[in-house]
Amino acid sequence: MFPALNKQIDKFADLIIKKGAHVAPRQTVVIYSNTETDFFAEKLVKRAYQAGAVQVQVQWHNALETREFYLHASPAVISETPEYLKVWGDDLIGRKNATRISIMSDNPDNLSGIDPQVIANRRQALRPALKTVAQKTTADVISWLVVAAPSIAWAEKVFPDLHGQEAAERLWQEILKTVRISEDNDPIAEWDQHVAELKAHADWLTEQNFKELRYKSAKSDFTIGLAEHHRWEAASSVDRSGNPFIPNMPTEEVFTAPDNRHIDGTIASTLPLSYSGNLIQDIVLQVKDGQIVKAQASSGEAVLKDLIATDAGSHSFGEVSLVPFHSPINDAGVLFYNTLFDENASDHVAIGQAYNTNIQKGEELDEKTLASYGWNQSDVHVDFMIGSSDMAIDGVTQDDRIIPVFRNGDWA
């Protein structure tokens, strides 16, 4: 399909199976794919079986079908929880601990013009069906991975002067750069080095045991407390069976869990957020005692407010993430309109659910104990980008010493 890039795309598929999801013998694998990226999903299916998977299932979706559903489905159907999804999730994810590989490719404008409340109602209806999947993913019980492959509509959004396959090929070129693949390199060796470098930053931050971080830039001015017994993570994780995996490709971040009771100030976005098929731009949140008390955006404000209104936990935050301004993705000068990439071009925070693994021994603790540490619980987890070239971040130690973490958007 893309003959000039076929070798690199094959290397990417190998990287996903061997290093990203790290598929091992006797594993069950679930792949989520747009029908437009079927050729890439098929490469992953073949390689997963070659790695010893016992079952590989593809969950297909289609952008047109999704949009038409929202346009024409009745309110009763929109609000109906699909029981078959719950049975599917409880079986493949809950019982078989299937590895999840998600291929992101959708047009960020696919649901533009759809009533945000209709989208919110559907998400609310899906949550009970997907609860097992969400719980096992956020707790790293299973291995999981998010990657991307271009659809034409997404590619044309990123490169509006190009059209069709030409736009898709151009976007493929950029994606392959972000995941450290060239025609003649060894991407697995490069990823081993990259993971080690990110882990060194995460280990240093964990050792500091900061009680809070103070952010200051032209747009943002806030303090974010860090959860008691927090732990910084980067790039690589380990699932319950001891299988190492990389949840996101690309990744440039180190991240941990904030204390959802101790966040105060003004948090402003620096890149658009693509959420629920809509673009939310120029987000400004006022936060007091860990709660979002005011939310504004120049576009998509209704979608943003519906997101925040999801549940009690969506009024606070579940992740704080550090990414140098001069990351490879940001230096490329491409706005991907896709959180997988844009969050790795910028510092970011996440509205909603925190990860168990960001608390020391969090995988072994119950939700009540985790909550007592300031760990946030929600049915959503949505990152938005706040980094900039003038961002300064200071860490405050338990004995109130100030240690520079970021200066001018990069590591101090």
Side-chain angles (χ1 to χ4, degrees), residues 52-107:
V54 294
Q55 179 184 2
V56 183
Q57 183 179 111
V58 182
Q59 289 289 100
W60 299 104
H61 66 275
N62 177 273
L64 175 65
E65 178 191 11
T66 301
R67 181 172 178 84
E68 291 298 307
F69 173 80
Y70 279 109
L71 284 172
H72 301 293
S74 69
V77 172
I78 289 286
S79 300
E80 181 182 35
T81 297
E83 185 64 25
Y84 75 92
L85 278 182
K86 182 179 186 305
V87 173
W88 176 88
D90 289 348
D91 180 34
L92 265 72
I93 309 300
R95 185 173 68 87
K96 295 182 179 178
N97 288 322
T99 293
R100 302 176 65 226
I101 302 174
S102 301
I103 305 172
M104 300 185 72
S105 60
D106 289 349
N107 174 12

Side-chain angles (χ1 to χ4, degrees), residues 69-326:
F69 173 80
Y70 279 109
L71 284 172
H72 301 293
S74 69
V77 172
I78 289 286
S79 300
E80 181 182 35
T81 297
E83 185 64 25
Y84 75 92
L85 278 182
K86 182 179 186 305
V87 173
W88 176 88
D90 289 348
D91 180 34
L92 265 72
I93 309 300
R95 185 173 68 87
K96 295 182 179 178
N97 288 322
T99 293
R100 302 176 65 226
I101 302 174
S102 301
I103 305 172
M104 300 185 72
S105 60
D106 289 349
N107 174 12
D109 294 325
N110 189 48
L111 298 184
S112 62
I114 305 293
D115 183 352
Q117 188 58 54
V118 173
I119 298 172
N121 290 346
R122 185 57 180 169
R123 287 183 174 272
Q124 186 68 33
L126 288 172
R127 284 182 193 111
L130 300 176
K131 185 175 182 179
T132 298
V133 177
Q135 288 179 335
K136 290 221 168 188
T137 301
T138 58
D140 286 352
V141 173
I142 60 171
S143 56
W144 55 279
L145 170 63
V146 182
V147 296
S151 65
I152 288 176
W154 176 28
E156 290 178 342
K157 175 72 175 181
V158 178
F159 300 107
D161 295 333
L162 302 177
H163 303 285
Q165 289 295 102
E166 186 180 6
E169 182 167 340
R170 178 75 175 86
L171 185 51
W172 258 123
Q173 291 171 352
E174 294 301 325
I175 289 173
L176 292 167
K177 289 177 188 175
T178 68
V179 293
R180 291 171 160 75
I181 289 176
S182 63
E183 190 169 1
D184 56 359
N185 76 329
D186 180 352
I188 290 179
E190 291 202 19
W191 271 90
D192 285 341
Q193 179 180 349
H194 180 51
V195 168
E197 291 171 354
L198 289 175
K199 186 176 183 302
H201 286 300
D203 289 347
W204 178 81
L205 287 163
T206 298
E207 290 170 6
Q208 302 310 305
N209 191 30
F210 292 127
K211 66 179 179 181
E212 62 186 31
L213 298 177
R214 295 175 182 172
Y215 288 71
K216 180 75 173 178
S217 71
K219 289 189 171 185
S220 293
D221 186 356
F222 67 97
T223 297
I224 188 161
L226 300 181
E228 188 178 358
H229 306 302
H230 70 273
R231 174 174 63 192
W232 290 84
E233 291 187 280
S236 184
S237 298
V238 178
D239 68 20
R240 187 69 57 85
S241 68
N243 183 49
F245 67 98
I246 299 173
N248 290 345
M249 286 182 159
T251 184
E252 304 290 336
E253 65 176 329
V254 295
F255 60 96
T256 195
D259 185 334
N260 65 357
R261 303 160 296 187
H262 300 297
I263 308 169
D264 295 275
T266 300
I267 306 177
S269 69
T270 51
L271 289 171
L273 167 62
S274 176
Y275 177 71
S276 287
N278 291 270
L279 281 179
I280 308 174
Q281 302 190 75
D282 303 314
I283 297 170
V284 180
L285 303 180
Q286 302 297 331
V287 187
K288 182 174 175 57
D289 297 329
Q291 298 291 296
I292 299 170
V293 295
K294 184 177 181 181
Q296 298 173 284
S298 64
S299 65
E301 184 173 302
V303 179
L304 173 65
K305 289 182 176 179
D306 281 337
L307 163 63
I308 294 168
T310 299
D311 53 32
S314 59
H315 289 75
S316 193
F317 302 86
E319 179 186 335
V320 52
S321 180
L322 303 181
V323 180
F325 181 78
H326 290 100

